[in-house]
Amino acid sequence: MKMLMQIALVFGLYWISQGVEMLLPFPFPASVISLLLLLILLGVRAVREEQVQDLADFLLGNLSVFFVPAAVGIMQYVDTIRANAIAFLTICVLSTVLTFGATVTVTRLTQRLMERRKRS
């Protein structure tokens, strides 16, 4: 039952974000809006970490399954990928390095904020 409530919370936030997306005068993905809403709710403590922890652990534990359709879809474009292999490789390396850098920065910031919260 606990997991169902967590799923309901996440889907509820997504449905709200779809409404927000329709109201915006510019394109912005509803999935990003829902993540921002969840971040805000966690930040103001309207939602506690424990209320989404089990679902988050489950989704992270099964994350590789979500990439299977994308990997299969890429197989349709092998010729295009081969023709532009250097460009694709360059983009992949640069985006990986930038993603690692952003992840390290956000993780350090989060750790500092959590330490401050524990002290107070």
Side-chain angles (χ1 to χ4, degrees):
M1 189 66 166
K2 184 178 177 182
M3 185 71 89
L4 288 176
M5 294 303 293
Q6 292 178 12
I7 291 171
L9 174 67
V10 169
F11 274 112
L13 286 173
Y14 182 70
W15 288 330
I16 291 169
S17 66
Q18 282 184 324
V20 171
E21 178 188 29
M22 286 189 265
L23 296 174
L24 291 175
F26 51 88
F28 200 79
S31 57
V32 175
I33 295 170
S34 63
L35 287 173
L36 291 173
L37 286 174
L38 181 59
L39 178 65
I40 291 167
L41 290 173
L42 287 167
V44 298
R45 297 187 182 180
V47 173
R48 293 184 321 274
E49 182 183 340
E50 300 83 37
Q51 291 176 294
V52 292
Q53 185 68 48
D54 292 336
L55 180 62
D57 289 341
F58 172 78
L59 291 173
L60 285 173
N62 296 294
L63 192 61
S64 60
V65 174
F66 299 119
F67 288 100
V68 170
V72 170
I74 287 173
M75 298 310 293
Q76 296 175 356
Y77 300 100
V78 171
D79 295 333
T80 304
I81 292 171
R82 281 189 187 138
N84 299 298
I86 294 174
F88 281 125
L89 184 62
T90 303
I91 290 169
C92 288
V93 169
L94 285 175
S95 63
T96 301
V97 169
L98 291 174
T99 301
F100 285 165
T103 302
V104 166
T105 304
V106 170
T107 302
R108 287 182 180 170
L109 177 64
T110 303
Q111 287 175 336
R112 288 180 190 151
L113 289 173
M114 290 175 72
E115 287 173 6
R116 280 189 203 163
R117 198 176 273 178
K118 285 180 182 179
R119 287 183 205 149
S120 59

